[in-house]
Amino acid sequence: MDFELSPKAREYQAKLQEFMDGHVYPAERGYAEWRAANDPHALPPVVEELKAEARRRGLWNLFLPDVSGLTNLEYATLAELTGRSHELAPEAVNCAAPDTGNMEVLHMFGTREQKKRWLDPLLDGEIRSAFAMTEPEVASSDATNITTSIERDGGDYVVNGRKWFITGAADERCTIFIVMGKTDPDAPVHRQQSQILVPRDTPGVTVLRHLPVFGYQDQHGHSEIVFEDVRVPAANLIAGEGDGFMIAQARLGPGRIHHCMRALGMAERALELMCRRAADRVAFGKPLAAQGVVQEQIAESRMAIEQARLLTLKTAWLIDRHGAKGARTEIAAIKAVVPRTACQVIDRAIQVHGGAGVSGDTPLAAMYAWARAMRIFDGPDEVHIRTVARQELRPYLG
């Protein structure tokens, strides 16, 4: 098992590091100040400036192997770098969720017309998208619970249902939803669901509200949406009827690598901030860095990050060689391990910073909100732990 990067990947890494140091980090304060003074879901102008600069440097759509030529393992190291500035960097290089997953779906399963109308402008960074699966009335950690209906009516499908925490929907650039619902409630349990493209401006689509996370309103938002007798052409169906669960599973392997490596990038930055604070701050006559309890927090953080990163890189390596099915246990494991690791490290950094850690003067509070939410979105910890346990017990249960 070899995690050595190719010369091409090392070149991308160096270029991305230079972009982060010279453009992304310096833009963070202005980004936050602009959002504080304007509609929280409006787009700060600096984002488009960063996108243009990233594209000029060839740092664009790096997540998609058929475009970048990078393996999942090689892209993982780049995703970690972007996670250090989680609000700005992923979008600056057109590698932000949920667009990445939606682009992967359209790339794998979209028709020529679907790709031309939706995938191409997404790849160009002209629009944004959302994935509408989670529902307020059912435990959506079990996707078979979904109640939204997608019913055939002549040459159309009619969509009815309610979704919430739909990431990206508050952004005015979000023009297309991939909606998951049931086309046949009587089919076998994993053949009941389908996925369909619903343009935002379709009659019957109502964005009710934008939901905060720990009081934060992300620029892209997390929204509650009602679909009431929403009629779209049958050609908007992705793949075939009953393929929804399969499509959802196909997007999860690489997507979880992206999420987890970005979270580790956040943890690395939190550890860096913790060390700087410990070196600069004096308490009881000596720097915090000389206090044994703080040293332990720093050491525990470093060890946890290294362990979580190695497991994630192993998972990426397995996906590259055996596909998502060949890495099923590891994919579940990293989704439980990494968010918990990130939360622990960020929490320690907050503690070392004292009041500053929970304020807006450092990025730590916002980072913690995102990392803690990650223990729920894309499936809660308990679902992934259950998957690991089942795989481990299989040889013993017959």
Side-chain angles (χ1 to χ4, degrees), residues 20 24-25 28 31 35 79-92 95-97 128 216 218 220 259 262-263 265-267 269 346 362-371:
M20 297 286 294
V24 176
Y25 296 137
E28 288 178 339
Y31 173 86
R35 289 195 63 221
E80 179 176 343
L81 275 177
T82 65
R84 291 175 61 91
S85 183
H86 71 285
E87 291 185 297
L88 273 179
E91 181 169 5
C95 294
R128 295 212 62 176
Y216 287 95
D218 292 348
H220 311 106
H259 269 314
R262 284 192 294 263
M266 291 171 57
R269 190 171 185 188
I346 297 167
T362 75
L364 293 169
M367 288 163 62
Y368 184 85
W370 191 91

Side-chain angles (χ1 to χ4, degrees), residues 322-363:
H322 306 292
K325 286 186 178 180
R328 182 182 178 190
T329 301
E330 289 78 8
I331 290 170
I334 63 172
K335 184 53 176 66
V337 168
V338 172
R340 289 190 296 186
T341 296
C343 282
Q344 290 165 356
V345 173
I346 297 167
D347 185 69
R348 293 182 189 120
I350 289 172
Q351 196 70 16
V352 169
H353 279 77
V358 296
S359 75
D361 288 357
T362 75

Side-chain angles (χ1 to χ4, degrees), residues 22 38 41 44 106 112 151-152 162 171 177 205 209 248 272 281 307 310 312 324 390:
N38 293 274
H41 302 300
L106 289 167
R112 180 178 297 178
E151 297 181 347
R152 186 69 182 254
R162 182 182 294 258
D171 193 315
F177 302 132
V205 176
R209 58 176 175 151
E272 178 183 307
R281 202 74 162 179
Q307 293 174 75
L310 284 171
T312 307
R390 284 182 165 185

